[in-house]
Amino acid sequence: MKLLEIKNLGKSFDGVEVLKDISISVNRGEVLGIIGPSGSGKSTLLRCATGLEQADKGVISYEGSYGLVFQNFNLFPHYSVMKNITDAPIKVQKREKAEVYKEARELLKKMGLSDREKAYPFQLSGGQKQRVSIARALAMNPDILFFDEPTSALDPELTGEILKVIKELANENMTMVIVTHEMSFAQNVADHIIFMEDGYILEEGSPEEVFGSSNERMKMFLGKFCE
Ligand SMILES: Nc1ncnc2c1ncn2[C@@H]1O[C@H](COP(=O)(O)OP(=O)(O)OP(=O)(O)O)[C@@H](O)[C@H]1O
Ligand SMILES: [Mg+2]
């Protein structure tokens, strides 16, 4: 079943087209990896898909709800870990407080953060902050979760920690769209990969197809990560 379908999406900034006729679809349980050089439009695609940016052309249709995990965590600095996670489910979704807290504690346990529920973001490492922001997104029970370079602000050790969490979510069949510069991670976790360049989808397919591509541009891009 399709959870997300984007057809012929176009977006310009100040007359410059940064997304050109992008079409993608994501099925339930699928992990879509988005790779490509800096400036190719990956974040803009995610921002349009999640309503943070208004597309100029095209159609975006969802079956269900979505959540978003940012590169720089975007936690509320003056809220505790617990409040960061529970605030939207209680205030926006109007869910029962006791139930939301119970679920939040389960999520914190899953993220290895049971002892940090009273901490504030400034008291956490980057990896911990990112795990809180993943817990916060999951607390809304989204059908589909978007990640925009979830590890790019982290050192290699903390990166591994976050990639492990995302891999576990994939094993639980969470539907995800992940923009990443971690090529081996994309290769391992994604069911389908799109390679963007200059606002276009230059190549797409299974990890085997994309990483085995004979396209010269694709090979050059991937080669840079293997050096
Ligand atoms: N709000 C904006 N106003 C003007 N131009 C923008 C805006 N947001 C993005 N752009 C431009 O759109 C293009 C695509 O940017 P985008 O952030 O989507 O790239 P990206 O693939 O996510 O790159 P990176 O890997 O560096 O994160 C870039 O040329 C960028 O300068
Ligand atoms: Mg980006």
Side-chain angles (χ1 to χ4, degrees):
M1 185 179 110
K2 270 184 196 152
L3 284 189
L4 167 64
E5 180 150 45
I6 293 180
K7 279 189 184 158
N8 311 110
L9 199 74
K11 174 74 183 169
S12 298
F13 288 113
D14 312 317
V16 179
E17 261 189 297
V18 299
L19 293 179
K20 301 163 187 164
D21 201 32
I22 301 281
S23 296
I24 56 172
S25 64
V26 182
N27 292 319
R28 187 177 287 284
E30 190 180 32
V31 178
L32 173 67
I34 303 179
I35 61 173
S38 184
S40 58
K42 306 180 298 296
S43 294
T44 306
L45 172 58
L46 242 57
R47 292 175 60 78
C48 287
T50 55
L52 294 173
E53 202 78 69
Q54 176 81 44
D56 304 328
K57 293 179 207 158
V59 183
I60 301 171
S61 41
Y62 278 98
E63 196 66 56
S65 61
Y66 57 83
L68 179 59
V69 174
F70 299 90
Q71 173 178 358
N72 293 317
F73 328 127
N74 282 23
L75 294 172
F76 297 113
H78 54 296
Y79 283 2
S80 67
V81 163
M82 196 51 151
K83 188 156 182 190
N84 262 287
I85 297 172
T86 56
D87 199 53
I90 292 168
K91 292 213 182 110
V92 180
Q93 292 183 327
K94 312 275 182 221
R95 289 173 52 206
E96 204 223 328
K97 200 173 163 183
E99 180 200 302
V100 171
Y101 269 70
K102 183 167 170 277
E103 240 182 69
R105 292 204 169 94
E106 281 162 17
L107 285 168
L108 282 171
K109 187 167 170 216
K110 189 168 163 183
M111 297 294 149
L113 290 169
S114 287
D115 53 338
R116 305 317 305 267
E117 71 171 68
K118 293 197 175 73
Y120 284 82
F122 78 91
Q123 296 167 315
L124 303 176
S125 72
Q128 289 171 334
K129 278 187 241 190
Q130 192 56 304
R131 280 182 280 147
V132 173
S133 72
I134 293 171
R136 178 177 63 175
L138 290 171
M140 300 288 278
N141 287 314
D143 292 289
I144 171 164
L145 196 50
F146 291 86
F147 292 86
D148 192 355
E149 296 192 33
T151 62
S152 62
L154 303 174
D155 71 28
E157 211 167 351
L158 296 180
T159 293
E161 191 179 273
I162 295 304
L163 296 183
K164 198 171 140 231
V165 166
I166 299 174
K167 177 120 209 212
E168 280 165 17
L169 293 175
N171 290 341
E172 293 165 14
N173 291 323
M174 183 77 207
T175 311
M176 294 183 281
V177 176
I178 309 171
V179 172
T180 183
H181 286 296
E182 300 287 333
M183 291 304 124
S184 62
F185 173 69
Q187 195 168 13
N188 285 326
V189 171
D191 299 301
H192 193 83
I193 291 180
I194 66 173
F195 173 77
M196 288 185 66
E197 176 156 81
D198 219 4
Y200 287 107
I201 296 177
L202 192 75
E203 186 87 80
E204 70 172 305
S206 66
E208 295 73 30
E209 285 164 344
V210 170
F211 284 85
S213 167
S214 55
N215 180 298
E216 285 306 320
R217 175 62 189 117
M218 195 67 239
K219 282 203 286 193
M220 198 176 100
F221 179 79
L222 293 174
K224 288 210 173 98
F225 288 92
C226 301
E227 275 162 12

